[in-house]
Amino acid sequence: FFFRLIVLYSLQPTSYLSSTRNPQQRCLTWTSQHYYLRHYSSLIMTEFDRAAIKSKASAACGWNFIVLMSRQGKIRLSEFFSSYTESQKKRILRDISADVLPRQAKMCNIIEKGEYKFIYRRYASLYFVVGAPVEMNELIVLEQIHLFVEALDGYFNSVCELDLVFSLHKSLMILFEMFIAGMLCESNRREVLQQIVEAEEMVEEMSKAGEDTSSQLDDGLSFQEQFQLGRKPGARGPRGNR
């Protein structure tokens, strides 16, 4: 569009305008040029608006974070898909504990918190809390949470809180297989579980006899997640914990 403006402006050079003796013709020339400039500048602004709407819509398609918290306020799983500082993460966890846990069963499960909102569902003793952009559809988020719970239930065969405590890496594998950067990329539960099973078989084939395969699956976990599993960071191999 900028190239078109330059071409249109060059179509009526100043030498031609100065050489035009007829004032009426000069006035018409300036009027047509002014019309083209206004027309194409409005097209450029329209393209900018469309780009802004597309970027805003793409940002509203994914989760900012997901937190699994028990009724006692214990964090069983937490994953942040957007960039937050440690102080912001702690504040989010405090807000979840203060705003979500005391709510009654008949109360609304959507809490707006400024730039994002809490959307949660309770399953037995666990709260699945998702931080989503304000523009995102709440019903879609609720369905995505239920889809994630169904995948966990299909893998652990009636999942419970202890499964998340002792098999945190398996839960994260299922989460990362379904969601990338907070956006749902695989909605087929059977396909997700098949990929997890193939990854486990590959680890078992590559491992030696008598070696702890669960320690190899923990290589991609952070120190905090390893501490949640009860393992010391760096304790790998057949000896297990030290």
Side-chain angles (χ1 to χ4, degrees):
F1 286 103
F2 286 107
F3 178 74
R4 290 182 181 179
L5 284 176
I6 295 172
V7 171
L8 286 172
Y9 193 78
S10 61
L11 288 178
Q12 304 291 341
T14 0
S15 58
Y16 172 77
L17 294 177
S18 58
S19 62
T20 305
R21 297 182 179 181
N22 191 353
Q24 186 177 3
Q25 185 178 0
R26 185 183 300 179
C27 180
L28 289 175
T29 305
W30 276 107
T31 305
S32 59
Q33 189 176 16
H34 182 65
Y35 169 76
Y36 284 122
L37 287 174
R38 288 187 59 184
H39 176 66
Y40 281 101
S41 62
S42 63
L43 289 179
I44 292 174
M45 293 305 297
T46 305
E47 289 296 326
F48 286 159
D49 292 341
R50 289 178 181 175
I53 291 173
K54 287 181 180 179
S55 61
K56 190 175 181 181
S58 61
C61 291
W63 299 351
N64 293 343
F65 53 85
I66 178 172
V67 176
L68 273 62
M69 186 176 291
S70 64
R71 289 185 297 178
Q72 293 77 23
K74 300 293 183 179
I75 301 172
R76 300 309 181 190
L77 184 148
S78 62
E79 184 63 33
F80 291 84
F81 299 102
S82 301
S83 57
Y84 291 98
T85 61
E86 291 298 326
S87 59
Q88 290 176 340
K89 292 179 181 179
K90 293 178 180 179
R91 179 176 57 85
I92 289 173
L93 297 177
R94 287 197 304 267
D95 291 343
I96 292 176
S97 179
D99 297 340
V100 176
L101 298 185
R103 295 176 71 85
Q104 301 297 327
K106 294 184 179 180
M107 299 179 69
C108 179
N109 51 0
I110 302 169
I111 305 174
E112 294 188 358
K113 301 292 291 185
E115 58 183 6
Y116 57 87
K117 52 189 174 183
F118 293 150
I119 304 174
Y120 70 93
R121 295 188 73 163
R122 179 180 174 180
Y123 294 88
S125 61
L126 276 178
Y127 287 88
F128 288 72
V129 186
V130 169
V134 181
E135 299 84 6
M136 194 168 183
N137 193 331
E138 297 87 356
L139 298 179
I140 295 178
V141 177
L142 292 174
E143 290 299 323
Q144 290 176 350
I145 294 174
H146 188 67
L147 184 64
F148 177 53
V149 173
E150 285 183 343
L152 291 175
D153 192 72
Y155 180 82
F156 292 106
N157 193 12
S158 184
V159 64
C160 63
E161 188 174 349
L162 292 177
D163 293 328
L164 301 178
V165 173
F166 295 105
S167 300
L168 177 62
H169 55 291
K170 302 292 183 64
S171 306
L172 289 173
M173 287 174 63
I174 295 174
L175 178 65
F176 295 151
E177 191 67 33
M178 297 178 63
F179 296 90
I180 298 178
M183 292 185 289
L184 181 63
C185 297
E186 182 57 66
S187 58
N188 192 341
R189 185 181 61 182
R190 295 181 179 178
E191 184 67 24
V192 171
L193 298 180
Q194 181 66 27
Q195 295 296 329
I196 301 299
V197 170
E198 290 179 1
E200 292 177 348
E201 292 177 353
M202 186 180 301
V203 171
E204 291 178 359
E205 291 177 0
M206 296 176 62
S207 61
K208 299 178 182 178
E211 189 175 359
D212 186 12
T213 58
S214 62
S215 63
Q216 298 183 10
L217 294 175
D218 296 341
D219 290 338
L221 300 180
S222 63
F223 288 167
Q224 180 182 1
E225 292 166 345
Q226 292 180 35
F227 278 123
Q228 291 180 6
L229 287 172
R231 295 188 175 91
K232 295 182 180 179
R236 299 286 187 264
R239 293 184 181 180
N241 297 336
R242 295 178 181 177

